[in-house]
Structures are given as C-alpha cells and as structure tokens.
Amino acid sequence: MTSPLAIDCRNLVKRYPPDVLAVDGLELKIHRGECFGLLGPNGAGKTTTVEILEGLLPPTSGEVEVLGRRWDHDSVELRSRLGITLQQTYLPERLTVEETLALFRSFYTRGRSPQDVMKLVSLEDKRQSWFERLSGGQKQRLAVACALVGDPELLFLDEPTTGLDPQSRRQLWEIVAGLKAEGRTVLLTTHYMDEAEKLCDRVAIVDKGKVIALGTPRELISRVVGREIVEFAALSEGLAETELTGLDGVQAARKVADGWALTVDKVHVAVPALLATLESRNVGLQRLSTHSPTLEDVFVTLTGRNLRD
Amino acid sequence: MRHSPLTLLTLARIRLFWREPSAVFWSFGFPILLSVALGIAFRNRPPEPVRAAVQEGPGAAELVKALSQGEVQARLMDQADADTALRVGKVAIVVCPGSPRGYEFDPTRPESRLARVVVDDVLQRAEGRVDVSKAVDHPVTAVGSRYIDFLVPGLLGVNIMSAGMWGIGYVIVETRTRKLLKRMVATPMRRSHFLLSFILMRLVFLVLEVPVLLGFAWLAFGVAVRGSFLLVGALSLLGALAFAGIGLLVASRAQNTQTVGGLINLVMMPMFIGSGVFFSAENFPQAIQPFLKALPLTALNDSLRAVMNEGAGMMAVAPQAAILTAMSLVSFGLALRFFRWT
C-alpha cells in the first residue's frame, strides 16, 4: 500500500502558548520524486512545519502522513527512510569527515558507504579534516552527506544554502539536482527565490503559518505577477494608479520606493504607451527598466511585503 | 563494512575527549598537580619546638635558662611585648616569674595547651621533681596515617565525581544546545545507545585515571594500597556509575550550558566541603553526620580510604557500596524518565 504522496499534511496547527501561532492550518501534498520548495520570510513557520514533518516536534493538531506512514506508529521505520539537514549544522567539532560519516552510517541498517557519499559531495580531500576546520560550504556539504548515508527516499533540507558564498551555493544546487535525478523526493525550505526557481518542481509560498500560493515557479509568476515587470521613476509625475493600469498592455501597477512597478504582458506595447503619457505631461524619466518577474515579485504582490523584511 | 553504532558512538566520545587538551588536563594533570602541591604543603616535618616568652622580673633569667635546657625556645620579654607575642601566635605561652609561677595561655589553642604541659614539666624537673615511674618512647610514623595518605583517596573520589558530572552532564547539554542531539535523534539511532556511549566512555577513562593517580601517589609519596586493588577498582567503578547517573540527571532537562554549569556546582559544592576530601568530615556537628554519610562522595571517599589505608575488606565497605549502587539506580531511573530529547 504505497501512497503516491511523499507527504500529505492536512490542517496542520502548531501553537506555542500563550499566544504564538507558528503554523495556522497548513495544507501540503508533495508527490514522490518531486523537488518541492517551501518559501517564505523568516518566521513564516517553515522550520516549524518541517520539524513536524520530520517527527521532531509534535503538532498541536492536524494530520501528517509521511511516505504513507504516521509518526506515532512507524517512527523507527520512517527515521530509516528519511534524510535531514537542520537549519544550522553543528556536527561534533573534532571528528573528521570520515569519522562523522561512519558514525551516521552505523545508525542505518542499509545505506551507502561513507566513501560513496564523500565523493558525491566532493569532500574526499577533506576526509581527515576535523569538522571545525571546514569552510561553511564544506560543513553544509558534510551535513547533506550525513543525510544521504541512509540512502533516503525523502530528504528534508532546511535552508541548505543560507549564509554560503555563491560558489558553494551552486555546488549544493548541483548536489540537490543530482538527488532529484536519482528519483528521490526533496523538500527544501529557502528564502532565496533564485534557489527555488532553479531547483524546485513546485513551490508553496508560506506566510504567517499558511500556504498563500502553490504551483510551479513559472505558473505562479505568470498567474500572480504577469509576464514582465517594468519599473520606472520620474520627477513629480503626479500619476494615479488607475491611469497606469489603463495603459495598453499593463495589467497592474504598484508604487515602489521611488517610482512605480508595472506588470505587463506586452512590453512592446506598454512601454511606448507609458512614454507617450509621460511625454504628454512633460515629465522627464529618471529611470526605466524591465525585468522578468521572480518569485520575489510573487511574494510582494501577494503580501505587499518584501521577503527579507 | 558496518560497525556497531554503540562502538562508534563510544569511539566518537573517546576521540572528542582526547582531542580536547583542557579536558585531558582536568582529569589527569590537575589531580596530580593538586596532590603534589598539597603533599608538599603538608609534608611531615620534624616536631616543632615549643615557643615560650618569659616575662621580665626577679628570677626570670633562671627560668629562661632552665627552659632552654629542656627543648623549649624561651625568650625574655617585657610585659607588653610578651602579651603581643602571645596574641599573634609567636609564642604559645607566657611564663610570669614569681611564687606561685603564672602561665598565660589560650586554652582553646592546642599548641598552647601542649606548651603549658611541656613548660611546667621542664620547670618542675629542673626544680628537682622525680618521675614516679619510668617510661620509654618509641617514635613511629606509620604509612597510612600521614596527611597525603588521607588526601589521595579523597582526590581520587573528587576526580571520579567531576569527570562524571562535567564529562557527561555538561557535554550532553552542549550537544543539546548545539542541536546535535536533535540531529542524531532524527536518525534511527537508538537512544539508549547514545546514553550508554557516555557511560562506556567514562569507564574506559576510569581504567586510565585510577592507575595514573594511584601510581603517581605511590611513586612520589609512597602512598600504598593496603587492601585489595580489585576492591579499589570495584569501588571506583561504582562511584563512576553513581556520578554518571547524577551527571545524566542534571543534564536531563537543562537547555543551556549556563544552567547545567550552575546545577553541577550546586550538586558538587556540598560534597567538596562535606564529604571529607581535604579534611575529615568528622569535624562537622554530630547532627548532620547522617546526612553527610549519605552523600555519594562521602561513601566513595570513606570506602576508598578504608580499603587503601586500613586494608578493609569487602564486608567492611558494603554499606558505602550499597549507597553508591542505590544512587546509580535512582539517578539513572529519574534521568531516563525526564530526559529531553528534542
């Protein structure tokens, strides 16, 4: 009786007395073999949700099924089928890479050899190095390696690249892409939009303990934001929102720090219309740019806030 | 090839301890340094002479002469100087010439009472008193009755206590604070293996600590074990288990290392003072003796001393062994019940 879902979580609530509601009726269905991203600002409830799914935290209420099993019945079996990394990785400071992996490997009855995973995360040169002497990126790769020694079907990666340099991030992305290619299910949390767009088949945007949007990154962007973003700033333009949304090809307009951001579906129509309007008012442009919308724009559009606020 | 998780966990604990120079110093170097320092400070010296002042007055010079012939250091002083010398402890007694002779001394100070007896004895003999019966002195300094003989079993006990409390209690809380405990609990690791690895690590180091400290005390000070080595080992083992249990118990709930540090000091301080490490616990009032006897460190120190210094056998230390066993069982039971895993 294998469930097609890797994770099925219904109406999940986590309350910390007296008055913190960390997770507020969260729903999540993650398919086997997909790489799923939980996105949201700090404090949105991502880590709490993930720790409940990992069986490390009891929910206040709600239903959680992982790989068709429940934590209260099958925790031993589940533990051997999952691999996890926590948000911050502290492994024993003065054990070597090899010793750490051998230790974690010993907890699983079946799995991959330490040599194997060391190779997978490119830490063979560091096998004799103590954890405390590794760089941030190497520490994180070792954490991922520890999650892989049990040959898990489902991987939880909680903010795997937070605080890493760009090169280390790309290295980790390659590792995650490789895991996905092997058919493993990956649930990762992040507040980096580029990470989610690059790695995830589907994403859920979480805010204040709830899923506020769900879909593939492309889908979300075109549904919530539109095709293209045009940003401009002009001195004392005195424009009203309705005026801008009335322009040909413009779907939405919103005020940003020093100007406006327009969501457009046809840049080649919208931009000339905008320029004509400004011309007619004799207003000089200070800045004009267009970019493809990102998940960041999705979040801003949905909540009116920036992700890293 | 896959090794047993318990073996690897224990190996990891041993490596982590061994790679931390300060931990190694505190459990091996420090007790040795302490025994050297205290052994030197309290080494056996030739008997101290009795120091006396003789107040100026008629016949004072004769008194000084008589005393000096009888192993008493006597000096002539005026009244004010003599009083000061007595007060600050430069002399133990002031002799006032006259008839009758006066002795000024503080009867609460043992050396003053001794001086009173010696001075009077010397002066009476000088005046012609004849001893009623003859006695012969046989001076003896017995191994096993020196301060260092008292001290070494106490240091061994303290060492076993601190290693258990800090090496298990503190390290577990550190593991919990750094979320490493959470990470390990997220694997299929058996929780009993995790806790057992700490205890096995302690036992491995016990096998090193006891011979190192006792071997050093024997080489440097001639401190010998009169009873059975095996019994010393068995008592150390029971002590290590009891303090491992108490270490687990203080670590069972604590969320940060400051809390557990405070708890450890709270538990250890009364035993440092009341369990007869540096001085005998018999100095405390009778009323609290039953309480002191029930402390695990008292049980460990008393039984180690009995075996090492008096050659006591198994039956003689059975009560202390029972206290240590009970303490281990109770503390392990409570610790397992209350342990906070995530």
Side-chain angles (χ1 to χ4, degrees):
Chain A
M1 38 161 232
T2 48
S3 156
L5 291 177
I7 289 175
D8 186 2
C9 146
R10 295 180 295 274
N11 201 19
L12 189 67
V13 174
K14 180 68 184 179
R15 197 185 296 279
Y16 291 103
D19 57 358
V20 177
L21 191 57
V23 180
D24 181 12
L26 189 131
E27 306 268 333
L28 214 52
K29 293 195 191 324
I30 298 173
H31 304 291
R32 288 188 195 238
E34 80 176 330
C35 180
F36 192 94
L38 271 186
L39 264 77
N42 288 329
K46 302 188 299 283
T47 295
T48 309
T49 303
V50 167
E51 290 195 349
I52 292 171
L53 298 177
E54 291 165 346
L56 293 175
L57 214 66
T60 307
S61 65
E63 303 281 317
V64 175
E65 262 180 47
V66 179
L67 300 170
R69 298 276 189 277
R70 284 166 187 276
W71 280 109
D72 43 7
H73 295 152
D74 307 301
S75 67
V76 177
E77 186 202 324
L78 273 176
R79 298 241 166 271
S80 63
R81 294 170 68 188
L82 303 186
I84 76 160
T85 66
L86 296 173
Q87 200 172 93
Q88 268 141 359
T89 304
Y90 299 105
L91 290 164
E93 297 282 353
R94 294 189 177 181
L95 288 188
T96 66
V97 167
E98 201 169 22
E99 288 162 356
T100 306
L101 288 172
L103 178 64
F104 275 84
R105 175 64 187 85
S106 75
F107 301 148
Y108 298 85
T109 45
R110 45 169 285 279
R112 308 167 76 158
S113 74
Q115 281 66 30
D116 239 24
V117 286
M118 227 182 307
K119 201 167 154 198
L120 194 75
V121 300
S122 321
L123 281 177
E124 298 128 298
D125 308 347
K126 294 283 168 189
R127 64 195 306 152
Q128 298 296 340
S129 300
W130 289 353
F131 178 74
E132 69 176 11
R133 304 210 173 133
L134 300 178
S135 72
Q138 290 164 344
K139 285 180 177 172
Q140 194 57 37
R141 266 146 52 206
L142 180 57
V144 173
C146 286
L148 292 175
V149 285
D151 198 14
E153 292 163 54
L154 170 59
L155 266 150
F156 291 93
L157 306 175
D158 196 356
E159 300 201 354
T161 65
T162 298
L164 297 189
D165 58 89
Q167 199 200 336
S168 301
R169 293 184 66 203
R170 270 193 296 277
Q171 231 169 341
L172 263 168
W173 288 355
E174 277 169 35
I175 295 171
V176 176
L179 298 174
K180 206 169 79 174
E182 289 172 353
R184 296 172 208 273
T185 312
V186 180
L187 170 59
L188 68 88
T189 74
T190 181
H191 51 238
Y192 296 119
M193 299 301 120
D194 52 344
E195 185 162 299
E197 285 179 49
K198 185 150 176 79
L199 293 177
C200 298
D201 301 314
R202 288 195 305 148
V203 296
I205 297 182
V206 181
D207 190 37
K208 296 180 178 154
K210 278 187 174 126
V211 174
I212 56 172
L214 179 75
T216 68
R218 283 293 111 209
E219 231 171 67
L220 277 182
I221 289 164
S222 62
R223 189 171 81 221
V224 178
V225 188
R227 304 276 287 278
E228 210 64 27
I229 303 272
V230 175
E231 286 197 337
F232 73 94
L235 271 179
S236 56
E237 48 6 45
L239 290 166
E241 192 178 327
T242 47
E243 246 176 306
L244 291 169
T245 49
L247 293 171
D248 273 351
V250 174
Q251 294 168 316
R254 68 170 197 275
K255 198 98 180 95
V256 293
D258 61 341
W260 291 88
L262 309 179
T263 307
V264 306
D265 55 358
K266 297 189 185 87
V267 185
H268 61 282
V269 177
V271 171
L274 172 65
L275 292 177
T277 307
L278 295 175
E279 183 90 355
S280 70
R281 298 195 168 208
N282 221 1
V283 172
L285 263 183
Q286 283 183 303
R287 180 167 69 76
L288 175 72
S289 66
T290 73
H291 69 262
S292 298
T294 63
L295 287 170
E296 181 89 35
D297 297 300
V298 174
F299 187 79
V300 175
T301 309
L302 288 172
T303 67
R305 288 177 291 128
N306 282 314
L307 265 168
R308 257 148 288 170
D309 276 356
Chain B
M1 216 199 54
R2 183 170 167 262
H3 294 276
S4 114
L6 184 57
T7 311
L8 286 183
L9 275 166
T10 309
L11 254 178
R13 297 260 67 90
I14 292 171
R15 285 177 172 136
L16 288 169
F17 179 88
W18 209 242
R19 290 170 188 174
E20 192 70 63
S22 66
V24 176
F25 169 77
W26 284 109
S27 55
F28 290 97
F30 184 70
I32 286 177
L33 280 184
L34 203 59
S35 67
V36 170
L38 293 172
I40 290 170
F42 295 97
R43 73 189 179 280
N44 286 9
R45 279 169 290 209
E48 291 270 311
V50 170
R51 280 188 288 260
V54 177
Q55 222 177 74
E56 283 172 352
E62 287 74 26
L63 285 176
V64 171
K65 200 175 159 210
L67 286 169
S68 301
Q69 281 166 357
E71 291 175 31
V72 177
Q73 278 184 10
R75 290 173 58 198
L76 199 58
M77 293 185 195
D78 64 26
Q79 192 183 345
D81 284 352
D83 286 350
T84 311
L86 179 63
R87 199 175 62 243
V88 301
K90 271 189 189 160
V91 299
I93 189 167
V94 178
V95 182
C96 310
S99 186
R101 257 196 316 271
Y103 296 133
E104 286 175 9
F105 69 102
D106 178 352
T108 64
R109 277 162 50 188
E111 74 270 26
S112 277
R113 286 214 302 273
L114 176 67
R116 157 80 178 70
V117 173
V118 172
V119 163
D120 194 50
D121 186 51
V122 169
L123 292 178
Q124 300 276 7
R125 283 187 190 202
E127 285 163 357
R129 188 192 68 189
V130 180
D131 289 340
V132 180
S133 60
K134 283 279 168 201
V136 188
D137 292 345
H138 301 288
V140 174
T141 308
V143 168
S145 65
R146 302 163 305 167
Y147 180 64
I148 190 75
D149 298 308
F150 176 86
L151 183 67
V152 166
L155 285 181
L156 183 56
V158 162
N159 203 36
I160 289 171
M161 170 173 76
S162 355
M165 302 293 286
W166 291 107
I168 295 183
Y170 190 86
V171 172
I172 284 185
V173 175
E174 207 183 18
T175 308
R176 181 184 291 133
T177 315
R178 288 158 32 90
K179 302 237 167 96
L180 180 56
L181 184 59
K182 193 184 238 179
R183 177 64 189 90
M184 298 183 94
V185 164
T187 70
M189 176 189 75
R190 290 169 70 166
R191 295 174 177 193
S192 56
H193 283 168
F194 177 79
L195 296 179
L196 213 51
S197 70
F198 281 90
I199 290 155
L200 290 178
M201 176 268 289
R202 278 298 305 133
L203 298 188
V204 167
F205 281 107
L206 195 69
V207 171
L208 297 175
E209 284 160 11
V210 176
V212 164
L213 183 59
L214 293 187
F216 176 81
W218 180 63
L219 289 174
F221 298 109
V223 174
V225 175
R226 293 185 151 194
S228 134
F229 279 98
L230 215 58
L231 196 50
V232 170
L235 289 168
S236 305
L237 178 72
L238 281 182
L241 288 176
F243 286 110
I246 299 172
L248 272 184
L249 186 59
V250 296
S252 60
R253 303 296 298 168
Q255 293 276 43
N256 60 58
T257 48
Q258 288 93 324
T259 309
V260 78
L263 281 175
I264 288 174
N265 282 324
L266 190 72
V267 171
M268 295 210 312
M269 196 50 75
M271 291 195 263
F272 262 130
I273 298 166
S275 287
V277 179
F278 300 104
F279 56 90
S280 170
E282 306 290 334
N283 290 324
F284 287 101
Q286 203 55 43
I288 63 166
Q289 288 297 333
F291 168 73
L292 294 180
K293 291 273 183 240
L295 291 174
L297 186 58
T298 315
L300 181 57
N301 285 351
D302 286 356
S303 56
L304 285 174
R305 256 179 214 133
V307 176
M308 286 177 61
N309 297 340
E310 296 153 32
M314 209 183 312
M315 289 320 289
V317 294
Q320 284 91 352
I323 290 178
L324 292 174
T325 309
M327 197 57 80
S328 320
L329 293 176
V330 170
S331 56
F332 274 114
L334 290 176
L336 289 180
R337 174 128 172 53
F338 292 114
F339 201 85
R340 189 198 295 267
W341 285 100
T342 52

